[in-house]
mmCIF file of all heavy atoms in Angstrom:
data_model
loop_
_atom_site.group_PDB
_atom_site.id
_atom_site.type_symbol
_atom_site.label_atom_id
_atom_site.label_comp_id
_atom_site.label_asym_id
_atom_site.label_seq_id
_atom_site.Cartn_x
_atom_site.Cartn_y
_atom_site.Cartn_z
ATOM 1 N N SER A 134 -175.319 -112.501 -86.439
ATOM 2 C CA SER A 134 -173.968 -112.265 -85.921
ATOM 3 C C SER A 134 -173.145 -113.537 -85.742
ATOM 4 O O SER A 134 -171.927 -113.463 -85.579
ATOM 5 C CB SER A 134 -174.040 -111.516 -84.587
ATOM 6 O OG SER A 134 -174.757 -112.285 -83.623
ATOM 7 N N HIS A 135 -173.786 -114.714 -85.785
ATOM 8 C CA HIS A 135 -173.055 -115.958 -85.532
ATOM 9 C C HIS A 135 -172.985 -116.855 -86.764
ATOM 10 O O HIS A 135 -172.648 -118.037 -86.647
ATOM 11 C CB HIS A 135 -173.685 -116.724 -84.370
ATOM 12 C CG HIS A 135 -173.662 -115.968 -83.084
ATOM 13 N ND1 HIS A 135 -172.482 -115.632 -82.446
ATOM 14 C CD2 HIS A 135 -174.664 -115.456 -82.324
ATOM 15 C CE1 HIS A 135 -172.768 -114.962 -81.344
ATOM 16 N NE2 HIS A 135 -174.075 -114.836 -81.240
ATOM 17 N N ILE A 136 -173.322 -116.331 -87.928
ATOM 18 C CA ILE A 136 -173.230 -117.124 -89.148
ATOM 19 C C ILE A 136 -172.420 -116.360 -90.195
ATOM 20 O O ILE A 136 -172.234 -115.144 -90.095
ATOM 21 C CB ILE A 136 -174.620 -117.482 -89.725
ATOM 22 C CG1 ILE A 136 -175.363 -116.230 -90.206
ATOM 23 C CG2 ILE A 136 -175.455 -118.254 -88.714
ATOM 24 C CD1 ILE A 136 -176.600 -116.545 -91.028
ATOM 25 N N ASP A 137 -171.919 -117.086 -91.174
ATOM 26 C CA ASP A 137 -171.207 -116.489 -92.301
ATOM 27 C C ASP A 137 -172.059 -116.641 -93.554
ATOM 28 O O ASP A 137 -172.598 -117.720 -93.823
ATOM 29 C CB ASP A 137 -169.851 -117.177 -92.514
ATOM 30 C CG ASP A 137 -168.906 -116.946 -91.347
ATOM 31 O OD1 ASP A 137 -168.790 -115.786 -90.917
ATOM 32 O OD2 ASP A 137 -168.297 -117.919 -90.866
ATOM 33 N N ILE A 138 -172.154 -115.570 -94.300
ATOM 34 C CA ILE A 138 -172.939 -115.537 -95.537
ATOM 35 C C ILE A 138 -171.980 -115.280 -96.682
ATOM 36 O O ILE A 138 -171.092 -114.436 -96.573
ATOM 37 C CB ILE A 138 -173.992 -114.413 -95.484
ATOM 38 C CG1 ILE A 138 -174.894 -114.568 -94.261
ATOM 39 C CG2 ILE A 138 -174.821 -114.397 -96.774
ATOM 40 C CD1 ILE A 138 -175.726 -113.333 -93.970
ATOM 41 N N PHE A 139 -172.145 -116.000 -97.770
ATOM 42 C CA PHE A 139 -171.270 -115.766 -98.910
ATOM 43 C C PHE A 139 -172.052 -115.789 -100.222
ATOM 44 O O PHE A 139 -173.081 -116.444 -100.342
ATOM 45 C CB PHE A 139 -170.124 -116.785 -98.959
ATOM 46 C CG PHE A 139 -170.554 -118.224 -99.083
ATOM 47 C CD1 PHE A 139 -170.792 -118.798 -100.319
ATOM 48 C CD2 PHE A 139 -170.701 -119.020 -97.951
ATOM 49 C CE1 PHE A 139 -171.173 -120.128 -100.439
ATOM 50 C CE2 PHE A 139 -171.081 -120.349 -98.051
ATOM 51 C CZ PHE A 139 -171.324 -120.905 -99.301
ATOM 52 N N ILE A 140 -171.529 -115.047 -101.193
ATOM 53 C CA ILE A 140 -172.060 -115.023 -102.559
ATOM 54 C C ILE A 140 -170.901 -115.316 -103.500
ATOM 55 O O ILE A 140 -169.805 -114.778 -103.328
ATOM 56 C CB ILE A 140 -172.682 -113.653 -102.903
ATOM 57 C CG1 ILE A 140 -173.882 -113.363 -102.003
ATOM 58 C CG2 ILE A 140 -173.086 -113.599 -104.370
ATOM 59 C CD1 ILE A 140 -174.495 -111.999 -102.240
ATOM 60 N N ILE A 141 -171.146 -116.160 -104.498
ATOM 61 C CA ILE A 141 -170.084 -116.530 -105.439
ATOM 62 C C ILE A 141 -170.533 -116.191 -106.864
ATOM 63 O O ILE A 141 -171.117 -117.028 -107.561
ATOM 64 C CB ILE A 141 -169.732 -118.027 -105.319
ATOM 65 C CG1 ILE A 141 -169.447 -118.396 -103.859
ATOM 66 C CG2 ILE A 141 -168.535 -118.361 -106.188
ATOM 67 C CD1 ILE A 141 -169.029 -119.835 -103.645
ATOM 68 N N PRO A 142 -170.267 -114.971 -107.319
ATOM 69 C CA PRO A 142 -170.671 -114.576 -108.674
ATOM 70 C C PRO A 142 -169.635 -115.016 -109.709
ATOM 71 O O PRO A 142 -168.612 -115.624 -109.371
ATOM 72 C CB PRO A 142 -170.725 -113.056 -108.569
ATOM 73 C CG PRO A 142 -169.635 -112.727 -107.589
ATOM 74 C CD PRO A 142 -169.622 -113.871 -106.593
ATOM 75 N N ASP A 143 -169.905 -114.698 -110.968
ATOM 76 C CA ASP A 143 -168.920 -114.988 -112.010
ATOM 77 C C ASP A 143 -167.717 -114.054 -111.864
ATOM 78 O O ASP A 143 -167.771 -113.042 -111.154
ATOM 79 C CB ASP A 143 -169.553 -114.823 -113.401
ATOM 80 C CG ASP A 143 -169.892 -113.375 -113.686
ATOM 81 O OD1 ASP A 143 -170.935 -112.890 -113.201
ATOM 82 O OD2 ASP A 143 -169.090 -112.707 -114.358
ATOM 83 N N PHE A 144 -166.634 -114.377 -112.541
ATOM 84 C CA PHE A 144 -165.394 -113.612 -112.387
ATOM 85 C C PHE A 144 -165.560 -112.139 -112.772
ATOM 86 O O PHE A 144 -165.046 -111.253 -112.088
ATOM 87 C CB PHE A 144 -164.279 -114.228 -113.243
ATOM 88 C CG PHE A 144 -163.735 -115.515 -112.687
ATOM 89 C CD1 PHE A 144 -163.767 -116.681 -113.439
ATOM 90 C CD2 PHE A 144 -163.185 -115.569 -111.416
ATOM 91 C CE1 PHE A 144 -163.263 -117.863 -112.934
ATOM 92 C CE2 PHE A 144 -162.682 -116.753 -110.904
ATOM 93 C CZ PHE A 144 -162.722 -117.909 -111.669
ATOM 94 N N VAL A 145 -166.259 -111.867 -113.875
ATOM 95 C CA VAL A 145 -166.384 -110.486 -114.357
ATOM 96 C C VAL A 145 -167.123 -109.620 -113.343
ATOM 97 O O VAL A 145 -166.847 -108.429 -113.209
ATOM 98 C CB VAL A 145 -167.087 -110.454 -115.738
ATOM 99 C CG1 VAL A 145 -167.276 -109.023 -116.214
ATOM 100 C CG2 VAL A 145 -166.278 -111.256 -116.766
ATOM 101 N N SER A 146 -168.042 -110.232 -112.598
ATOM 102 C CA SER A 146 -168.863 -109.491 -111.636
ATOM 103 C C SER A 146 -168.222 -109.361 -110.256
ATOM 104 O O SER A 146 -168.775 -108.679 -109.386
ATOM 105 C CB SER A 146 -170.230 -110.179 -111.475
ATOM 106 O OG SER A 146 -170.874 -110.340 -112.721
ATOM 107 N N LEU A 147 -167.099 -109.991 -110.048
ATOM 108 C CA LEU A 147 -166.533 -110.072 -108.696
ATOM 109 C C LEU A 147 -166.283 -108.711 -108.056
ATOM 110 O O LEU A 147 -166.749 -108.442 -106.939
ATOM 111 C CB LEU A 147 -165.221 -110.860 -108.720
ATOM 112 C CG LEU A 147 -165.317 -112.360 -108.447
ATOM 113 C CD1 LEU A 147 -163.969 -113.028 -108.671
ATOM 114 C CD2 LEU A 147 -165.803 -112.610 -107.030
ATOM 115 N N THR A 148 -165.525 -107.850 -108.716
ATOM 116 C CA THR A 148 -165.152 -106.587 -108.077
ATOM 117 C C THR A 148 -166.368 -105.690 -107.863
ATOM 118 O O THR A 148 -166.450 -104.976 -106.860
ATOM 119 C CB THR A 148 -164.077 -105.852 -108.888
ATOM 120 O OG1 THR A 148 -164.521 -105.698 -110.248
ATOM 121 C CG2 THR A 148 -162.767 -106.631 -108.882
ATOM 122 N N THR A 149 -167.317 -105.749 -108.803
ATOM 123 C CA THR A 149 -168.549 -104.968 -108.634
ATOM 124 C C THR A 149 -169.324 -105.467 -107.418
ATOM 125 O O THR A 149 -169.811 -104.674 -106.604
ATOM 126 C CB THR A 149 -169.433 -105.087 -109.889
ATOM 127 O OG1 THR A 149 -168.732 -104.576 -111.011
ATOM 128 C CG2 THR A 149 -170.731 -104.318 -109.711
ATOM 129 N N THR A 150 -169.425 -106.781 -107.285
ATOM 130 C CA THR A 150 -170.158 -107.362 -106.167
ATOM 131 C C THR A 150 -169.484 -107.030 -104.837
ATOM 132 O O THR A 150 -170.152 -106.678 -103.855
ATOM 133 C CB THR A 150 -170.269 -108.887 -106.337
ATOM 134 O OG1 THR A 150 -170.917 -109.179 -107.587
ATOM 135 C CG2 THR A 150 -171.059 -109.510 -105.209
ATOM 136 N N ILE A 151 -168.166 -107.139 -104.796
ATOM 137 C CA ILE A 151 -167.424 -106.807 -103.581
ATOM 138 C C ILE A 151 -167.693 -105.364 -103.175
ATOM 139 O O ILE A 151 -167.916 -105.062 -101.990
ATOM 140 C CB ILE A 151 -165.917 -107.052 -103.793
ATOM 141 C CG1 ILE A 151 -165.636 -108.556 -103.866
ATOM 142 C CG2 ILE A 151 -165.090 -106.416 -102.674
ATOM 143 C CD1 ILE A 151 -164.244 -108.905 -104.343
ATOM 144 N N ALA A 152 -167.692 -104.453 -104.142
ATOM 145 C CA ALA A 152 -167.952 -103.037 -103.853
ATOM 146 C C ALA A 152 -169.364 -102.840 -103.321
ATOM 147 O O ALA A 152 -169.587 -102.077 -102.370
ATOM 148 C CB ALA A 152 -167.728 -102.206 -105.105
ATOM 149 N N GLN A 153 -170.340 -103.532 -103.908
ATOM 150 C CA GLN A 153 -171.719 -103.405 -103.449
ATOM 151 C C GLN A 153 -171.889 -103.925 -102.024
ATOM 152 O O GLN A 153 -172.605 -103.330 -101.210
ATOM 153 C CB GLN A 153 -172.657 -104.183 -104.384
ATOM 154 C CG GLN A 153 -172.889 -103.530 -105.737
ATOM 155 C CD GLN A 153 -173.777 -104.400 -106.624
ATOM 156 O OE1 GLN A 153 -173.294 -105.295 -107.298
ATOM 157 N NE2 GLN A 153 -175.062 -104.135 -106.605
ATOM 158 N N LEU A 154 -171.238 -105.037 -101.722
ATOM 159 C CA LEU A 154 -171.423 -105.668 -100.422
ATOM 160 C C LEU A 154 -170.802 -104.877 -99.283
ATOM 161 O O LEU A 154 -171.123 -105.099 -98.116
ATOM 162 C CB LEU A 154 -170.849 -107.089 -100.444
ATOM 163 C CG LEU A 154 -171.581 -108.087 -101.353
ATOM 164 C CD1 LEU A 154 -170.887 -109.440 -101.329
ATOM 165 C CD2 LEU A 154 -173.045 -108.238 -100.944
ATOM 166 N N LYS A 155 -169.929 -103.939 -99.601
ATOM 167 C CA LYS A 155 -169.317 -103.111 -98.560
ATOM 168 C C LYS A 155 -170.343 -102.232 -97.855
ATOM 169 O O LYS A 155 -170.108 -101.762 -96.738
ATOM 170 C CB LYS A 155 -168.210 -102.249 -99.168
ATOM 171 C CG LYS A 155 -166.940 -103.033 -99.495
ATOM 172 C CD LYS A 155 -165.856 -102.142 -100.092
ATOM 173 C CE LYS A 155 -164.596 -102.934 -100.396
ATOM 174 N NZ LYS A 155 -163.546 -102.110 -101.040
ATOM 175 N N SER A 156 -171.486 -102.019 -98.497
ATOM 176 C CA SER A 156 -172.518 -101.180 -97.885
ATOM 177 C C SER A 156 -173.344 -101.940 -96.850
ATOM 178 O O SER A 156 -174.144 -101.344 -96.130
ATOM 179 C CB SER A 156 -173.461 -100.639 -98.963
ATOM 180 O OG SER A 156 -174.217 -101.693 -99.554
ATOM 181 N N SER A 157 -173.154 -103.246 -96.757
ATOM 182 C CA SER A 157 -173.942 -104.064 -95.831
ATOM 183 C C SER A 157 -173.486 -103.842 -94.394
ATOM 184 O O SER A 157 -172.290 -103.719 -94.109
ATOM 185 C CB SER A 157 -173.812 -105.543 -96.188
ATOM 186 O OG SER A 157 -174.420 -106.355 -95.211
ATOM 187 N N SER A 158 -174.426 -103.822 -93.484
ATOM 188 C CA SER A 158 -174.102 -103.703 -92.060
ATOM 189 C C SER A 158 -173.627 -105.046 -91.501
ATOM 190 O O SER A 158 -173.116 -105.110 -90.390
ATOM 191 C CB SER A 158 -175.323 -103.218 -91.282
ATOM 192 O OG SER A 158 -176.427 -104.082 -91.481
ATOM 193 N N VAL A 159 -173.814 -106.103 -92.274
ATOM 194 C CA VAL A 159 -173.357 -107.440 -91.907
ATOM 195 C C VAL A 159 -172.244 -107.835 -92.866
ATOM 196 O O VAL A 159 -172.343 -107.616 -94.070
ATOM 197 C CB VAL A 159 -174.507 -108.471 -92.018
ATOM 198 C CG1 VAL A 159 -174.014 -109.872 -91.674
ATOM 199 C CG2 VAL A 159 -175.666 -108.079 -91.134
ATOM 200 N N ALA A 160 -171.164 -108.403 -92.344
ATOM 201 C CA ALA A 160 -170.071 -108.840 -93.215
ATOM 202 C C ALA A 160 -170.542 -109.985 -94.107
ATOM 203 O O ALA A 160 -171.068 -110.987 -93.626
ATOM 204 C CB ALA A 160 -168.888 -109.288 -92.373
ATOM 205 N N ILE A 161 -170.380 -109.807 -95.409
ATOM 206 C CA ILE A 161 -170.753 -110.841 -96.374
ATOM 207 C C ILE A 161 -169.528 -111.170 -97.215
ATOM 208 O O ILE A 161 -168.912 -110.284 -97.803
ATOM 209 C CB ILE A 161 -171.913 -110.372 -97.281
ATOM 210 C CG1 ILE A 161 -173.133 -110.013 -96.426
ATOM 211 C CG2 ILE A 161 -172.271 -111.468 -98.293
ATOM 212 C CD1 ILE A 161 -174.236 -109.336 -97.193
ATOM 213 N N TRP A 162 -169.179 -112.441 -97.246
ATOM 214 C CA TRP A 162 -168.017 -112.866 -98.013
ATOM 215 C C TRP A 162 -168.353 -112.946 -99.500
ATOM 216 O O TRP A 162 -169.460 -113.323 -99.876
ATOM 217 C CB TRP A 162 -167.561 -114.248 -97.567
ATOM 218 C CG TRP A 162 -167.137 -114.352 -96.147
ATOM 219 C CD1 TRP A 162 -167.044 -113.340 -95.234
ATOM 220 C CD2 TRP A 162 -166.752 -115.552 -95.461
ATOM 221 N NE1 TRP A 162 -166.610 -113.839 -94.019
ATOM 222 C CE2 TRP A 162 -166.425 -115.183 -94.131
ATOM 223 C CE3 TRP A 162 -166.646 -116.881 -95.841
ATOM 224 C CZ2 TRP A 162 -166.007 -116.113 -93.187
ATOM 225 C CZ3 TRP A 162 -166.224 -117.816 -94.903
ATOM 226 C CH2 TRP A 162 -165.907 -117.430 -93.597
ATOM 227 N N THR A 163 -167.381 -112.607 -100.310
ATOM 228 C CA THR A 163 -167.504 -112.839 -101.749
ATOM 229 C C THR A 163 -166.542 -113.950 -102.136
ATOM 230 O O THR A 163 -165.380 -113.955 -101.717
ATOM 231 C CB THR A 163 -167.172 -111.577 -102.560
ATOM 232 O OG1 THR A 163 -167.944 -110.487 -102.061
ATOM 233 C CG2 THR A 163 -167.497 -111.785 -104.036
ATOM 234 N N GLY A 164 -167.040 -114.904 -102.903
ATOM 235 C CA GLY A 164 -166.218 -116.016 -103.338
ATOM 236 C C GLY A 164 -166.067 -116.038 -104.846
ATOM 237 O O GLY A 164 -166.806 -115.375 -105.575
ATOM 238 N N ALA A 165 -165.089 -116.799 -105.313
ATOM 239 C CA ALA A 165 -164.888 -117.032 -106.741
ATOM 240 C C ALA A 165 -165.242 -118.479 -107.046
ATOM 241 O O ALA A 165 -165.145 -119.354 -106.182
ATOM 242 C CB ALA A 165 -163.439 -116.742 -107.132
ATOM 243 N N GLN A 166 -165.635 -118.736 -108.291
ATOM 244 C CA GLN A 166 -166.126 -120.056 -108.656
ATOM 245 C C GLN A 166 -165.010 -121.039 -108.998
ATOM 246 O O GLN A 166 -165.275 -122.239 -109.144
ATOM 247 C CB GLN A 166 -167.088 -119.945 -109.840
ATOM 248 C CG GLN A 166 -168.357 -119.196 -109.511
ATOM 249 C CD GLN A 166 -169.314 -119.088 -110.691
ATOM 250 O OE1 GLN A 166 -169.153 -119.774 -111.699
ATOM 251 N NE2 GLN A 166 -170.296 -118.221 -110.579
ATOM 252 N N ASP A 167 -163.786 -120.556 -109.126
ATOM 253 C CA ASP A 167 -162.674 -121.425 -109.495
ATOM 254 C C ASP A 167 -161.402 -120.591 -109.465
ATOM 255 O O ASP A 167 -161.460 -119.360 -109.275
ATOM 256 C CB ASP A 167 -162.899 -122.001 -110.908
ATOM 257 C CG ASP A 167 -161.914 -123.105 -111.268
ATOM 258 O OD1 ASP A 167 -161.458 -123.825 -110.358
ATOM 259 O OD2 ASP A 167 -161.590 -123.242 -112.465
ATOM 260 N N CYS A 168 -160.248 -121.218 -109.649
ATOM 261 C CA CYS A 168 -158.997 -120.498 -109.839
ATOM 262 C C CYS A 168 -157.973 -121.470 -110.405
ATOM 263 O O CYS A 168 -158.218 -122.680 -110.475
ATOM 264 C CB CYS A 168 -158.485 -119.883 -108.530
ATOM 265 S SG CYS A 168 -157.851 -121.096 -107.334
ATOM 266 N N HIS A 169 -156.816 -120.956 -110.789
ATOM 267 C CA HIS A 169 -155.724 -121.811 -111.215
ATOM 268 C C HIS A 169 -154.923 -122.235 -109.991
ATOM 269 O O HIS A 169 -155.083 -121.670 -108.909
ATOM 270 C CB HIS A 169 -154.826 -121.070 -112.216
ATOM 271 C CG HIS A 169 -153.938 -121.979 -113.007
ATOM 272 N ND1 HIS A 169 -152.660 -122.291 -112.616
ATOM 273 C CD2 HIS A 169 -154.153 -122.660 -114.159
ATOM 274 C CE1 HIS A 169 -152.115 -123.113 -113.499
ATOM 275 N NE2 HIS A 169 -153.002 -123.365 -114.442
#
């Protein structure tokens, strides 16, 4: 409850990963590997 967890997949996998992580009872951040 006092830490932040994040996963940074490739761009194509981002939305799929975000959808999967919504099932977690713990908030897990999804990150991107880069941007413009």
Side-chain angles (χ1 to χ4, degrees):
S134 61
H135 299 295
I136 66 168
D137 295 313
I138 304 166
F139 60 87
I140 297 177
I141 308 183
D143 68 280
F144 286 122
V145 177
S146 305
L147 267 173
T148 54
T149 299
T150 302
I151 289 169
Q153 286 177 275
L154 293 178
K155 285 180 179 177
S156 67
S157 172
S158 57
V159 178
I161 301 171
W162 299 356
T163 308
Q166 294 180 13
D167 190 30
C168 71
H169 197 268

